[in-house]
């Protein structure tokens, strides 16, 4: 039986394995390899040089882009988590199952509209003569500059991540044993205390995983910082695009990409540890 | 009293959250019929000019044809490869299995810009960059995990006695796969096909890197966006939204989510929705 099992699994195992190795893992490894290559007369030449790494990592503009991207992604994770938590609580605890299912379906809807189109649409809301400022002037308030700022980028990131984060949080919260909340109530814990000492610790994995999703999405996105954030100062993804599209400097762009991947891996491992680590 | 107040506040807040999520979609729909070139209030008047302009623009028509031409083979390949991966994960135990599953599921978490650069440099090495093939290959890599996740969920519902009974009746493993497992997964296969087609139809970043002159619809939208204010974006967006909602509705109907709802307490409809979600959430 055992030898039979091992023989017959290859026809099924090999095609997806070979495909992902050839077209997913190899391209990423190749990025690492070309980060040591050089560009001669606009052509890529195999080489073994550290000058691309040296070039990128010694520039203050790279590190300011790095810091800016980190700050924006962290901001997106915090803002998205805080914005979606009340909604997720409401959906998980106060509405009927039927309403919750309907709400969850509405949360899925945005994934079938182009993110590009939604970002373009936000321009109409946030521009100086846009919808938000028109509404503000109706109630007699001054217009606010919103487009082409970090605020604009954050609006885009939240647009991208909020539905997913709300879904993750709602599912996490809905799995909490109601008896524990009842017990807290019977033991005379107020709503605030119940929230912070019963619900949030139990929902920690979904809160952290949701925040991680928001972080990853924001960290790699180039659409919001370009079309809502104004493109300056650049983020790492802007840097990759500029370096790739102008001047064929793929090895330098590869350096940025490798740094981004390493950052995401370290952040994800830390977040997973935080989410599922032993509670003290 | 306090509690009830809190509850009302929660509902109002949730309403605002949904308003935030749906506002850009609704605005795009409204402005796609607005006579003014610039999307601002008050609206100028009703027009279908932008739709007319869109569907007579040869670049858009070509992009649309190319998107369809790419998304169908992408969906087919992703569904087949996704089924193989899901079945291996479900049925077999082998060394490195968790690594295998990780490799299958990882692509959507890699930022599209990095995937794009990796694909561009790698595929140009094997003389494929700038070809439609490059878009097809990259989209299968991105879409396969969604197919695998959906089919894996369905396999988890299968009673393993079904396969054992088939083997006991002297069916070969291949016959069992063909006559027992595949029919059991039929709905999820159709659903995976439609979802992966939608993923391919919406993906713009990697396609933008590798497509060269062979633009797909979202790449065309990106080019419009880089140009200037263009209500054509709203028209394309609304048209694509309508058709992908249509595809997804069919997909959901096939995936048997309606039936699953009636099943056990912990409805599989929810993880299925989760799988749908990661969809563009991560690639777009």
């Amino acid at each position: 039986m055992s030898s039979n099992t091992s023989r017959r699994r290859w026809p099924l195992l090999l095609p997806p394995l070979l495909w992902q190795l050839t077209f997913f893992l190899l391209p990423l490894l190749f990025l690492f390899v070309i980060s040591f290559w050089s560009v001669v007369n606009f052509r890529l030449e195999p080489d073994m040089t550290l000058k691309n790494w040296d070039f990128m990592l010694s520039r203050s503009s790279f590190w300011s882009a790095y810091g800016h991207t980190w700050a924006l992604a962290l901001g997106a994770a915090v803002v998205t988590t805080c914005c979606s938590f009340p909604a997720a609580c409401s959906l998980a605890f106060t509405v009927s199952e039927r309403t919750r299912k309907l709400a969850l379906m509405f949360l899925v809807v945005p994934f079938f509209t182009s993110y590009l189109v939604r970002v373009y649409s936000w321009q109409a809301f946030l521009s100086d003569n846009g919808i938000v400022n028109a509404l503000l002037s109706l109630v007699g308030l001054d217009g606010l500059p919103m487009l082409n700022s970090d605020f604009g980028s954050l609006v885009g990131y939240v647009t991208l991540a909020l539905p997913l984060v709300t879904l993750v949080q709602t599912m996490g919260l809905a799995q909490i044993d109601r008896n524990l909340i009842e017990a807290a109530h019977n033991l005379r814990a107020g709503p605030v205390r119940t929230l912070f000492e019963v619900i949030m610790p139990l929902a920690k994995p979904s809160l952290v995983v949701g925040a991680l999703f928001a972080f990853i999405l924001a960290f790699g996105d180039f659409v919001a910082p370009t079309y809502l954030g104004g493109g300056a100062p650049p983020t790492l993804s802007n840097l990759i695009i500029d370096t790739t599209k102008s001047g064929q400097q793929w090895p330098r762009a590869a350096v940025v990409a490798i740094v981004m991947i390493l950052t995401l891996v370290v952040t994800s491992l830390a977040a997973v540890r935080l989410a599922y680590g032993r509670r003290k | 009293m306090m509690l009830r107040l809190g509850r009302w506040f929660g509902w109002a807040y949730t309403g605002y959250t949904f308003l935030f999520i749906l506002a850009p979609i609704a605005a795009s729909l409204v402005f796609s019929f607005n006579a003014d070139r610039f999307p601002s209030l008050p609206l100028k008047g009703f027009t279908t000019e932008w739709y007319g302009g869109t569907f007579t623009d040869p670049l858009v028509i070509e992009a649309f044809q190319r998107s369809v031409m790419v998304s169908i083979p992408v969906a087919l390949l992703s569904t087949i490869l996704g089924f193989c991966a899901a079945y291996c994960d479900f049925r077999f135990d082998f060394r490195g299995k968790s690594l295998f599953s990780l490799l299958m599921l990882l692509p959507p978490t890699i930022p599209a810009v990095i995937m794009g650069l990796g694909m561009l440099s790698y595929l140009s090495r094997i003389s494929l960059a700038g070809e439609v093939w490059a878009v097809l290959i990259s989209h299968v890599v991105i879409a396969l995990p969604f197919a695998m996740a959906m089919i894996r969920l369905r396999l988890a519902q299968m009673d393993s006695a079904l396969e054992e009974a088939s083997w006991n009746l002297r069916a070969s493993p291949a016959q069992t796969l063909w006559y027992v497992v595949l029919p059991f997964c039929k709905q999820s296969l159709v659903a995976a096909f439609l979802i992966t087609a939608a993923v391919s139809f919406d993906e713009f970043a990697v396609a933008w890197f590798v497509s060269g002159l062979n633009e797909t619809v979202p790449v065309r939208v990106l080019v419009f966006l880089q140009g200037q204010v263009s209500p054509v974006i709203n028209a394309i967006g609304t048209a694509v939204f309508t058709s992908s909602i249509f595809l997804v509705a069919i997909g959901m109907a096939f995936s048997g989510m309606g039936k699953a709802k009636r099943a056990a307490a912990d409805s599989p409809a929810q993880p299925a929705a989760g799988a749908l979600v990661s969809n563009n959430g991560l690639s777009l």
Side-chain angles (χ1 to χ4, degrees), chain B residues 51-93:
Chain B
Y51 286 94
T54 306
F55 296 115
T56 50
D57 181 343
L59 282 176
V60 174
I61 295 170
E62 255 178 60
F64 188 81
Q65 289 167 338
R66 197 168 292 115
S67 275
V68 173
M69 255 168 48
V70 169
S71 64
I72 291 172
V74 165
L76 204 61
L77 255 175
S78 320
T79 307
I80 294 171
L81 294 173
F83 173 81
C84 294
Y87 186 78
C88 288
D89 185 58
F90 168 72
R91 172 56 54 210
F92 306 126
D93 272 317

Side-chain angles (χ1 to χ4, degrees), chain A residues 23 83 94 111-113 121 217, chain B residues 11 13 24 119 241 244 280-281:
Chain A
F23 294 122
C83 284
T94 72
F111 295 101
F112 302 103
T113 65
S121 205
L217 288 173
Chain B
W11 287 343
Y13 182 88
M119 285 291 181
F241 172 59
S244 53
N280 297 350

Side-chain angles (χ1 to χ4, degrees), chain A residues 76 80 111 156-166 210 213-215 217-218:
Chain A
T80 313
F111 295 101
Y157 295 145
V158 175
T159 304
L160 184 62
L162 190 74
L164 181 64
V165 174
T166 310
F213 276 142
F215 183 89
L217 288 173

Side-chain angles (χ1 to χ4, degrees), chain A residues 80 84 88 91 103-113 115 118 155-171 210 213-214 217, chain B residues 17-18 20-22 24-25 273-274 277-278 281:
Chain A
T80 313
S84 69
L91 289 178
L104 292 182
M105 264 178 69
F106 269 105
L107 285 177
V108 179
V109 165
F111 295 101
F112 302 103
T113 65
Y115 174 52
R118 281 183 285 152
V155 169
Y157 295 145
V158 175
T159 304
L160 184 62
L162 190 74
L164 181 64
V165 174
T166 310
L167 266 169
V168 171
Q169 288 185 358
T170 306
M171 284 174 193
F213 276 142
L217 288 173
Chain B
T17 309
F18 278 84
F20 176 85
I21 292 173
L22 299 176
I25 303 170
V277 165
S278 343

Side-chain angles (χ1 to χ4, degrees), chain A residues 4-22, chain B residues 77 80-105 144 148 152 177:
Chain A
N4 181 22
T5 316
S6 68
R7 238 187 304 116
R8 69 166 198 242
R9 75 170 174 240
W10 291 113
L12 288 170
L13 192 64
L14 273 183
L17 185 63
L18 285 181
W19 183 276
Q20 292 302 75
L21 282 177
T22 320
Chain B
L77 255 175
I80 294 171
L81 294 173
F83 173 81
C84 294
Y87 186 78
C88 288
D89 185 58
F90 168 72
R91 172 56 54 210
F92 306 126
D93 272 317
F94 50 91
R95 216 160 3 129
K97 181 170 151 181
S98 51
L99 268 181
F100 170 77
S101 305
L102 192 68
L103 180 71
M104 292 300 137
L105 293 170
L144 192 160
M148 175 180 172
R152 185 65 184 79
L177 205 60

Side-chain angles (χ1 to χ4, degrees), chain B residues 226-244:
Chain B
Q226 287 164 328
Q228 49 191 313
V229 180
S230 171
V232 168
I233 294 174
N234 290 325
I236 300 182
T238 304
V240 170
F241 172 59
T242 318
S243 43
S244 53

Side-chain angles (χ1 to χ4, degrees), chain A residues 131-142:
Chain A
I131 296 170
V132 173
N133 278 333
L135 292 177
L136 285 180
S137 72
L138 273 185
V139 291
L141 290 171
D142 284 340

